[in-house]
PDB file of all heavy atoms in Angstrom:
ATOM      1  N   SER B  51      46.551 117.567 160.164  1.00  0.00           N
ATOM      2  CA  SER B  51      46.030 117.163 158.749  1.00  0.00           C
ATOM      3  C   SER B  51      47.102 116.437 158.023  1.00  0.00           C
ATOM      4  O   SER B  51      48.268 116.409 158.466  1.00  0.00           O
ATOM      5  CB  SER B  51      45.669 118.405 157.955  1.00  0.00           C
ATOM      6  OG  SER B  51      46.854 119.203 157.815  1.00  0.00           O
ATOM      7  N   VAL B  52      46.742 115.628 156.918  1.00  0.00           N
ATOM      8  CA  VAL B  52      47.669 114.810 156.198  1.00  0.00           C
ATOM      9  C   VAL B  52      47.762 115.425 154.765  1.00  0.00           C
ATOM     10  O   VAL B  52      46.764 115.764 154.191  1.00  0.00           O
ATOM     11  CB  VAL B  52      47.183 113.350 156.243  1.00  0.00           C
ATOM     12  CG1 VAL B  52      48.110 112.460 155.480  1.00  0.00           C
ATOM     13  CG2 VAL B  52      46.976 112.810 157.643  1.00  0.00           C
ATOM     14  N   TYR B  53      49.045 115.294 154.193  1.00  0.00           N
ATOM     15  CA  TYR B  53      49.234 115.662 152.908  1.00  0.00           C
ATOM     16  C   TYR B  53      50.088 114.625 152.337  1.00  0.00           C
ATOM     17  O   TYR B  53      51.234 114.499 152.641  1.00  0.00           O
ATOM     18  CB  TYR B  53      49.754 117.089 152.820  1.00  0.00           C
ATOM     19  CG  TYR B  53      50.217 117.403 151.355  1.00  0.00           C
ATOM     20  CD1 TYR B  53      49.820 116.660 150.292  1.00  0.00           C
ATOM     21  CD2 TYR B  53      50.922 118.569 151.080  1.00  0.00           C
ATOM     22  CE1 TYR B  53      50.248 117.053 148.996  1.00  0.00           C
ATOM     23  CE2 TYR B  53      51.412 118.931 149.902  1.00  0.00           C
ATOM     24  CZ  TYR B  53      51.061 118.201 148.839  1.00  0.00           C
ATOM     25  OH  TYR B  53      51.465 118.546 147.548  1.00  0.00           O
ATOM     26  N   TYR B  54      49.493 113.840 151.379  1.00  0.00           N
ATOM     27  CA  TYR B  54      50.120 112.610 150.841  1.00  0.00           C
ATOM     28  C   TYR B  54      50.490 113.044 149.340  1.00  0.00           C
ATOM     29  O   TYR B  54      49.582 113.250 148.435  1.00  0.00           O
ATOM     30  CB  TYR B  54      49.275 111.407 150.880  1.00  0.00           C
ATOM     31  CG  TYR B  54      49.854 110.219 150.214  1.00  0.00           C
ATOM     32  CD1 TYR B  54      51.328 109.975 150.141  1.00  0.00           C
ATOM     33  CD2 TYR B  54      49.078 109.217 149.652  1.00  0.00           C
ATOM     34  CE1 TYR B  54      51.822 108.843 149.482  1.00  0.00           C
ATOM     35  CE2 TYR B  54      49.542 108.107 149.039  1.00  0.00           C
ATOM     36  CZ  TYR B  54      50.934 107.842 148.990  1.00  0.00           C
ATOM     37  OH  TYR B  54      51.425 106.729 148.447  1.00  0.00           O
ATOM     38  N   LEU B  55      51.800 113.064 149.043  1.00  0.00           N
ATOM     39  CA  LEU B  55      52.225 113.366 147.644  1.00  0.00           C
ATOM     40  C   LEU B  55      52.364 111.797 146.959  1.00  0.00           C
ATOM     41  O   LEU B  55      53.326 111.043 147.362  1.00  0.00           O
ATOM     42  CB  LEU B  55      53.497 114.069 147.559  1.00  0.00           C
ATOM     43  CG  LEU B  55      53.849 114.463 146.142  1.00  0.00           C
ATOM     44  CD1 LEU B  55      52.895 115.249 145.577  1.00  0.00           C
ATOM     45  CD2 LEU B  55      55.214 115.168 146.088  1.00  0.00           C
ATOM     46  N   ASN B  56      51.379 111.466 146.235  1.00  0.00           N
ATOM     47  CA  ASN B  56      51.334 109.980 145.776  1.00  0.00           C
ATOM     48  C   ASN B  56      52.157 109.907 144.516  1.00  0.00           C
ATOM     49  O   ASN B  56      52.238 110.684 143.624  1.00  0.00           O
ATOM     50  CB  ASN B  56      49.926 109.718 145.413  1.00  0.00           C
ATOM     51  CG  ASN B  56      49.702 108.414 144.748  1.00  0.00           C
ATOM     52  OD1 ASN B  56      50.483 107.400 144.862  1.00  0.00           O
ATOM     53  ND2 ASN B  56      48.714 108.292 143.847  1.00  0.00           N
ATOM     54  N   PHE B  57      52.888 108.794 144.293  1.00  0.00           N
ATOM     55  CA  PHE B  57      53.889 108.526 143.294  1.00  0.00           C
ATOM     56  C   PHE B  57      53.151 107.799 142.033  1.00  0.00           C
ATOM     57  O   PHE B  57      53.414 107.998 140.930  1.00  0.00           O
ATOM     58  CB  PHE B  57      54.913 107.673 143.728  1.00  0.00           C
ATOM     59  CG  PHE B  57      55.798 107.184 142.748  1.00  0.00           C
ATOM     60  CD1 PHE B  57      56.847 107.987 142.266  1.00  0.00           C
ATOM     61  CD2 PHE B  57      55.807 105.898 142.218  1.00  0.00           C
ATOM     62  CE1 PHE B  57      57.701 107.490 141.239  1.00  0.00           C
ATOM     63  CE2 PHE B  57      56.663 105.353 141.253  1.00  0.00           C
ATOM     64  CZ  PHE B  57      57.552 106.131 140.769  1.00  0.00           C
ATOM     65  N   LYS B  58      52.044 107.042 142.361  1.00  0.00           N
ATOM     66  CA  LYS B  58      51.442 106.191 141.286  1.00  0.00           C
ATOM     67  C   LYS B  58      50.221 106.721 140.701  1.00  0.00           C
ATOM     68  O   LYS B  58      49.133 106.653 141.203  1.00  0.00           O
ATOM     69  CB  LYS B  58      51.209 104.787 141.961  1.00  0.00           C
ATOM     70  CG  LYS B  58      52.447 103.970 142.383  1.00  0.00           C
ATOM     71  CD  LYS B  58      52.106 102.686 142.945  1.00  0.00           C
ATOM     72  CE  LYS B  58      53.337 101.685 142.874  1.00  0.00           C
ATOM     73  NZ  LYS B  58      53.600 101.281 141.489  1.00  0.00           N
ATOM     74  N   PRO B  59      50.289 107.351 139.505  1.00  0.00           N
ATOM     75  CA  PRO B  59      49.212 107.799 138.831  1.00  0.00           C
ATOM     76  C   PRO B  59      48.178 106.765 138.518  1.00  0.00           C
ATOM     77  O   PRO B  59      46.997 107.092 138.579  1.00  0.00           O
ATOM     78  CB  PRO B  59      49.766 108.347 137.502  1.00  0.00           C
ATOM     79  CG  PRO B  59      51.191 108.177 137.512  1.00  0.00           C
ATOM     80  CD  PRO B  59      51.646 107.350 138.691  1.00  0.00           C
ATOM     81  N   GLU B  60      48.618 105.519 138.502  1.00  0.00           N
ATOM     82  CA  GLU B  60      47.551 104.452 138.175  1.00  0.00           C
ATOM     83  C   GLU B  60      46.573 104.292 139.340  1.00  0.00           C
ATOM     84  O   GLU B  60      45.386 103.861 139.117  1.00  0.00           O
ATOM     85  CB  GLU B  60      48.209 103.074 138.012  1.00  0.00           C
ATOM     86  CG  GLU B  60      49.309 102.931 136.896  1.00  0.00           C
ATOM     87  CD  GLU B  60      50.671 103.327 137.308  1.00  0.00           C
ATOM     88  OE1 GLU B  60      50.784 103.829 138.414  1.00  0.00           O
ATOM     89  OE2 GLU B  60      51.551 102.869 136.646  1.00  0.00           O
ATOM     90  N   GLN B  61      46.949 104.788 140.562  1.00  0.00           N
ATOM     91  CA  GLN B  61      46.056 104.595 141.633  1.00  0.00           C
ATOM     92  C   GLN B  61      45.547 105.929 142.264  1.00  0.00           C
ATOM     93  O   GLN B  61      45.157 105.915 143.364  1.00  0.00           O
ATOM     94  CB  GLN B  61      46.732 103.751 142.872  1.00  0.00           C
ATOM     95  CG  GLN B  61      46.691 102.289 142.551  1.00  0.00           C
ATOM     96  CD  GLN B  61      47.814 101.816 141.646  1.00  0.00           C
ATOM     97  OE1 GLN B  61      48.796 102.520 141.502  1.00  0.00           O
ATOM     98  NE2 GLN B  61      47.588 100.658 141.005  1.00  0.00           N
ATOM     99  N   SER B  62      45.774 106.957 141.551  1.00  0.00           N
ATOM    100  CA  SER B  62      45.232 108.284 141.995  1.00  0.00           C
ATOM    101  C   SER B  62      43.795 108.416 142.531  1.00  0.00           C
ATOM    102  O   SER B  62      43.606 108.761 143.587  1.00  0.00           O
ATOM    103  CB  SER B  62      45.586 109.229 140.858  1.00  0.00           C
ATOM    104  OG  SER B  62      44.790 110.418 141.061  1.00  0.00           O
ATOM    105  N   GLN B  63      42.918 107.806 141.715  1.00  0.00           N
ATOM    106  CA  GLN B  63      41.558 107.932 142.056  1.00  0.00           C
ATOM    107  C   GLN B  63      41.225 107.112 143.344  1.00  0.00           C
ATOM    108  O   GLN B  63      40.458 107.679 144.224  1.00  0.00           O
ATOM    109  CB  GLN B  63      40.689 107.222 140.852  1.00  0.00           C
ATOM    110  CG  GLN B  63      41.012 107.951 139.603  1.00  0.00           C
ATOM    111  CD  GLN B  63      39.770 108.453 138.835  1.00  0.00           C
ATOM    112  OE1 GLN B  63      38.720 107.814 139.011  1.00  0.00           O
ATOM    113  NE2 GLN B  63      39.871 109.569 138.233  1.00  0.00           N
ATOM    114  N   GLN B  64      41.779 105.952 143.485  1.00  0.00           N
ATOM    115  CA  GLN B  64      41.525 105.161 144.645  1.00  0.00           C
ATOM    116  C   GLN B  64      42.040 105.855 145.905  1.00  0.00           C
ATOM    117  O   GLN B  64      41.347 105.846 146.985  1.00  0.00           O
ATOM    118  CB  GLN B  64      42.125 103.754 144.532  1.00  0.00           C
ATOM    119  CG  GLN B  64      41.556 102.920 143.464  1.00  0.00           C
ATOM    120  CD  GLN B  64      42.188 102.972 142.121  1.00  0.00           C
ATOM    121  OE1 GLN B  64      42.648 104.091 141.779  1.00  0.00           O
ATOM    122  NE2 GLN B  64      42.072 101.811 141.342  1.00  0.00           N
ATOM    123  N   TRP B  65      43.147 106.539 145.797  1.00  0.00           N
ATOM    124  CA  TRP B  65      43.675 107.207 147.002  1.00  0.00           C
ATOM    125  C   TRP B  65      42.748 108.461 147.288  1.00  0.00           C
ATOM    126  O   TRP B  65      42.539 108.552 148.490  1.00  0.00           O
ATOM    127  CB  TRP B  65      45.221 107.723 146.692  1.00  0.00           C
ATOM    128  CG  TRP B  65      46.105 106.783 146.977  1.00  0.00           C
ATOM    129  CD1 TRP B  65      47.007 106.157 146.050  1.00  0.00           C
ATOM    130  CD2 TRP B  65      46.452 106.138 148.269  1.00  0.00           C
ATOM    131  NE1 TRP B  65      47.795 105.172 146.648  1.00  0.00           N
ATOM    132  CE2 TRP B  65      47.533 105.222 148.007  1.00  0.00           C
ATOM    133  CE3 TRP B  65      46.013 106.365 149.497  1.00  0.00           C
ATOM    134  CZ2 TRP B  65      48.129 104.392 148.990  1.00  0.00           C
ATOM    135  CZ3 TRP B  65      46.645 105.546 150.529  1.00  0.00           C
ATOM    136  CH2 TRP B  65      47.645 104.568 150.237  1.00  0.00           C
ATOM    137  N   GLN B  66      42.371 109.193 146.342  1.00  0.00           N
ATOM    138  CA  GLN B  66      41.369 110.178 146.620  1.00  0.00           C
ATOM    139  C   GLN B  66      40.146 109.663 147.358  1.00  0.00           C
ATOM    140  O   GLN B  66      39.735 110.285 148.230  1.00  0.00           O
ATOM    141  CB  GLN B  66      40.865 110.876 145.306  1.00  0.00           C
ATOM    142  CG  GLN B  66      42.038 111.479 144.486  1.00  0.00           C
ATOM    143  CD  GLN B  66      42.505 112.650 144.934  1.00  0.00           C
ATOM    144  OE1 GLN B  66      42.076 113.287 145.986  1.00  0.00           O
ATOM    145  NE2 GLN B  66      43.461 113.374 144.271  1.00  0.00           N
ATOM    146  N   ALA B  67      39.522 108.565 146.886  1.00  0.00           N
ATOM    147  CA  ALA B  67      38.451 107.955 147.523  1.00  0.00           C
ATOM    148  C   ALA B  67      38.611 107.594 148.900  1.00  0.00           C
ATOM    149  O   ALA B  67      37.916 107.889 149.811  1.00  0.00           O
ATOM    150  CB  ALA B  67      37.944 106.863 146.705  1.00  0.00           C
ATOM    151  N   LEU B  68      39.786 107.020 149.131  1.00  0.00           N
ATOM    152  CA  LEU B  68      40.277 106.483 150.477  1.00  0.00           C
ATOM    153  C   LEU B  68      40.349 107.646 151.402  1.00  0.00           C
ATOM    154  O   LEU B  68      39.888 107.543 152.527  1.00  0.00           O
ATOM    155  CB  LEU B  68      41.477 105.684 150.352  1.00  0.00           C
ATOM    156  CG  LEU B  68      41.973 104.940 151.707  1.00  0.00           C
ATOM    157  CD1 LEU B  68      40.772 103.920 152.023  1.00  0.00           C
ATOM    158  CD2 LEU B  68      43.206 104.228 151.452  1.00  0.00           C
ATOM    159  N   ALA B  69      40.964 108.763 150.951  1.00  0.00           N
ATOM    160  CA  ALA B  69      41.191 109.875 151.763  1.00  0.00           C
ATOM    161  C   ALA B  69      39.856 110.518 152.138  1.00  0.00           C
ATOM    162  O   ALA B  69      39.706 110.940 153.297  1.00  0.00           O
ATOM    163  CB  ALA B  69      41.996 111.014 151.067  1.00  0.00           C
ATOM    164  N   LYS B  70      38.896 110.494 151.333  1.00  0.00           N
ATOM    165  CA  LYS B  70      37.648 111.049 151.517  1.00  0.00           C
ATOM    166  C   LYS B  70      36.928 110.178 152.631  1.00  0.00           C
ATOM    167  O   LYS B  70      36.289 110.764 153.507  1.00  0.00           O
ATOM    168  CB  LYS B  70      36.743 110.956 150.212  1.00  0.00           C
ATOM    169  CG  LYS B  70      35.653 112.024 150.093  1.00  0.00           C
ATOM    170  CD  LYS B  70      34.997 112.166 148.867  1.00  0.00           C
ATOM    171  CE  LYS B  70      33.499 112.541 148.968  1.00  0.00           C
ATOM    172  NZ  LYS B  70      32.712 111.931 147.959  1.00  0.00           N
ATOM    173  N   THR B  71      36.961 108.864 152.550  1.00  0.00           N
ATOM    174  CA  THR B  71      36.400 108.099 153.522  1.00  0.00           C
ATOM    175  C   THR B  71      36.919 108.311 154.905  1.00  0.00           C
ATOM    176  O   THR B  71      36.197 108.487 155.898  1.00  0.00           O
ATOM    177  CB  THR B  71      36.699 106.537 153.173  1.00  0.00           C
ATOM    178  OG1 THR B  71      36.517 106.289 151.773  1.00  0.00           O
ATOM    179  CG2 THR B  71      35.798 105.607 153.963  1.00  0.00           C
ATOM    180  N   TYR B  72      38.345 108.525 154.841  1.00  0.00           N
ATOM    181  CA  TYR B  72      38.875 108.771 156.231  1.00  0.00           C
ATOM    182  C   TYR B  72      38.515 110.062 156.807  1.00  0.00           C
ATOM    183  O   TYR B  72      38.271 110.126 158.005  1.00  0.00           O
ATOM    184  CB  TYR B  72      40.364 108.763 156.061  1.00  0.00           C
ATOM    185  CG  TYR B  72      41.252 108.864 157.330  1.00  0.00           C
ATOM    186  CD1 TYR B  72      41.321 107.798 158.239  1.00  0.00           C
ATOM    187  CD2 TYR B  72      41.941 109.979 157.593  1.00  0.00           C
ATOM    188  CE1 TYR B  72      41.888 107.900 159.424  1.00  0.00           C
ATOM    189  CE2 TYR B  72      42.754 110.138 158.788  1.00  0.00           C
ATOM    190  CZ  TYR B  72      42.723 109.064 159.686  1.00  0.00           C
ATOM    191  OH  TYR B  72      43.395 109.224 160.923  1.00  0.00           O
ATOM    192  N   THR B  73      38.327 111.099 156.006  1.00  0.00           N
ATOM    193  CA  THR B  73      37.974 112.327 156.480  1.00  0.00           C
ATOM    194  C   THR B  73      36.618 112.312 156.965  1.00  0.00           C
ATOM    195  O   THR B  73      36.195 112.947 158.022  1.00  0.00           O
ATOM    196  CB  THR B  73      38.037 113.488 155.334  1.00  0.00           C
ATOM    197  OG1 THR B  73      39.348 113.393 154.716  1.00  0.00           O
ATOM    198  CG2 THR B  73      37.773 114.834 155.816  1.00  0.00           C
TER     199      THR B  73
END
Side-chain angles (χ1 to χ4, degrees):
Chain B
S51 62
V52 181
Y53 172 10
Y54 176 31
L55 188 64
N56 172 33
F57 172 82
K58 291 179 159 291
E60 299 93 343
Q61 277 81 24
S62 160
Q63 306 234 322
Q64 288 95 326
W65 276 114
Q66 300 284 1
L68 190 61
K70 207 174 148 209
T71 314
Y72 185 68
T73 308

